[in-house]
Amino acid sequence: MVTKRQLYAMSNFQEQIKRVSGSIVLITFIFFSNLSYSQSSNTDNPNIDVNHVQKDFTTWWDYTKSNIKLSTEFIPLDVSSNIISKESFLKQLSTGEYIALQIEGTELKYKLFKLNSSVDNDIKKRVKRVADIIYTNYKMEGTEMPLFKFEDVNGIVYSNESIKGKIVVLKCWFVNCLPCVQEMPELNALVKEYKKRKDVLFISLAYDSKEKLDSFLLTHKFSYAVLPVPQTFMEGPLKVSGYPTHFIIDRTGIIRKVVYDYHEMISTLNNELAK
């Protein structure tokens, strides 16, 4: 037999259970609502409209030149915003079916976006070409500098042995390459900046004859050592596919960075100098 006091106690206990249960439901709702909000507010949005950048070749190329530096360190994302390896990112980009767009935020992220079926075919071709080159350069990083032994225009011999223990800043170029020549004043300033570092060598390989280089250097100042070498060496063992191409080689003879824009090699150079 249940007394009135027992009934009152049971009723009071059930009421407390309801209040606790209600609180748990409310807390759970708030938690998942906040989680949902957090996820939606962390969407990887590009810094340009995806369709706009594909409207013609010029629009895409102007955007890419200003925003996408594939030789730098960045967080690679696939079309679903999953983080993938840089190698996988470049491989997918080299199919010519995607473009890379920079994602808004403080971290440098590039994300793959599927190209529209109606996109200008020139965009596809250039995307594929650039990605192939960057991928080739990327695969060279971490490999040994190929065997070489060449004499510069002043008769000084450079080889794998002579550069041991030095950090080498290497440029591949030729006299009639306009971008190669245009960047020389900035490279001269770079040499001047590091002139007190005896452990840094600035060397350039040019596939012109010594006579042509001697004539060129009479009217153009270039502070790198200038070595006339066969074009087959640069495009064979070094796998150079565009000019200028810049390499950073560490003290043990390992290639650490391969880029077209010399600005992109500065951080690697400084990292090597700090070791």
Side-chain angles (χ1 to χ4, degrees), residues 142-193:
T143 65
E144 289 186 10
M145 175 67 182
L147 290 174
F148 76 100
K149 187 176 182 179
F150 298 112
E151 189 175 287
D152 75 2
V153 293
N154 296 315
I156 300 172
V157 175
Y158 291 86
S159 66
N160 299 80
E161 284 299 314
S162 71
I163 67 172
K164 269 187 179 177
K166 308 281 188 180
I167 297 168
V168 179
V169 183
L170 180 71
K171 171 179 175 173
C172 295
W173 66 291
F174 61 96
V175 166
N176 292 327
C177 167
L178 184 59
C180 301
V181 177
Q182 287 176 330
E183 69 178 6
M184 284 182 176
E186 294 175 275
L187 295 181
N188 292 338
L190 189 67
V191 174
K192 186 176 181 180
E193 181 181 347

Side-chain angles (χ1 to χ4, degrees), residues 48-252:
I48 191 171
D49 179 73
V50 180
N51 293 317
H52 172 75
V53 79
Q54 299 181 59
K55 74 173 187 175
D56 55 53
F57 180 86
T58 301
T59 302
W60 166 79
W61 185 237
D62 286 344
Y63 168 81
T64 299
K65 284 191 298 181
S66 300
N67 294 271
I68 307 300
K69 307 294 182 184
L70 294 172
S71 298
T72 59
E73 297 303 316
F74 62 92
I75 299 172
L77 304 176
D78 66 12
V79 292
S80 300
S81 293
N82 298 311
I83 296 176
I84 56 176
S85 68
K86 187 173 182 178
E87 181 172 0
S88 178
F89 185 93
L90 293 173
K91 275 185 176 180
Q92 291 185 55
L93 201 58
S94 67
T95 64
E97 299 298 321
Y98 304 88
I99 55 172
L101 300 184
Q102 185 174 337
I103 296 304
E104 294 176 341
T106 55
E107 294 181 297
L108 182 58
K109 295 181 180 180
Y110 297 149
K111 180 178 174 179
L112 296 172
F113 288 85
K114 187 78 173 176
L115 282 168
N116 297 332
S117 58
S118 59
V119 76
D120 185 340
N121 202 45
D122 286 340
I123 293 179
K124 288 187 175 183
K125 289 180 181 177
R126 182 62 68 88
V127 167
K128 184 174 179 4
R129 168 66 176 157
V130 171
D132 279 340
I133 292 171
I134 299 296
Y135 181 64
T136 299
N137 291 345
Y138 175 73
K139 294 295 286 182
M140 284 294 290
E141 295 172 6
T143 65
E144 289 186 10
M145 175 67 182
L147 290 174
F148 76 100
K149 187 176 182 179
F150 298 112
E151 189 175 287
D152 75 2
V153 293
N154 296 315
I156 300 172
V157 175
Y158 291 86
S159 66
N160 299 80
E161 284 299 314
S162 71
I163 67 172
K164 269 187 179 177
K166 308 281 188 180
I167 297 168
V168 179
V169 183
L170 180 71
K171 171 179 175 173
C172 295
W173 66 291
F174 61 96
V175 166
N176 292 327
C177 167
L178 184 59
C180 301
V181 177
Q182 287 176 330
E183 69 178 6
M184 284 182 176
E186 294 175 275
L187 295 181
N188 292 338
L190 189 67
V191 174
K192 186 176 181 180
E193 181 181 347
Y194 292 94
K195 67 178 181 179
K196 292 183 179 179
R197 295 293 304 240
K198 303 303 181 185
D199 54 346
V200 183
L201 288 176
F202 291 87
I203 301 172
S204 74
L205 309 180
Y207 66 68
D208 301 288
S209 67
K210 181 181 182 303
E211 293 71 27
K212 190 171 183 177
L213 288 168
D214 283 336
S215 177
F216 172 85
L217 293 169
L218 289 174
T219 56
H220 298 80
K221 180 184 178 182
F222 191 27
S223 300
Y224 280 45
V226 178
L227 287 63
V229 305
Q231 185 175 356
T232 51
F233 173 76
M234 287 194 280
E235 296 178 7
L238 276 181
K239 302 188 186 304
V240 172
S241 54
Y243 299 87
T245 295
H246 301 273
F247 293 75
I248 298 293
I249 304 164
D250 72 14
R251 294 179 178 89
T252 66

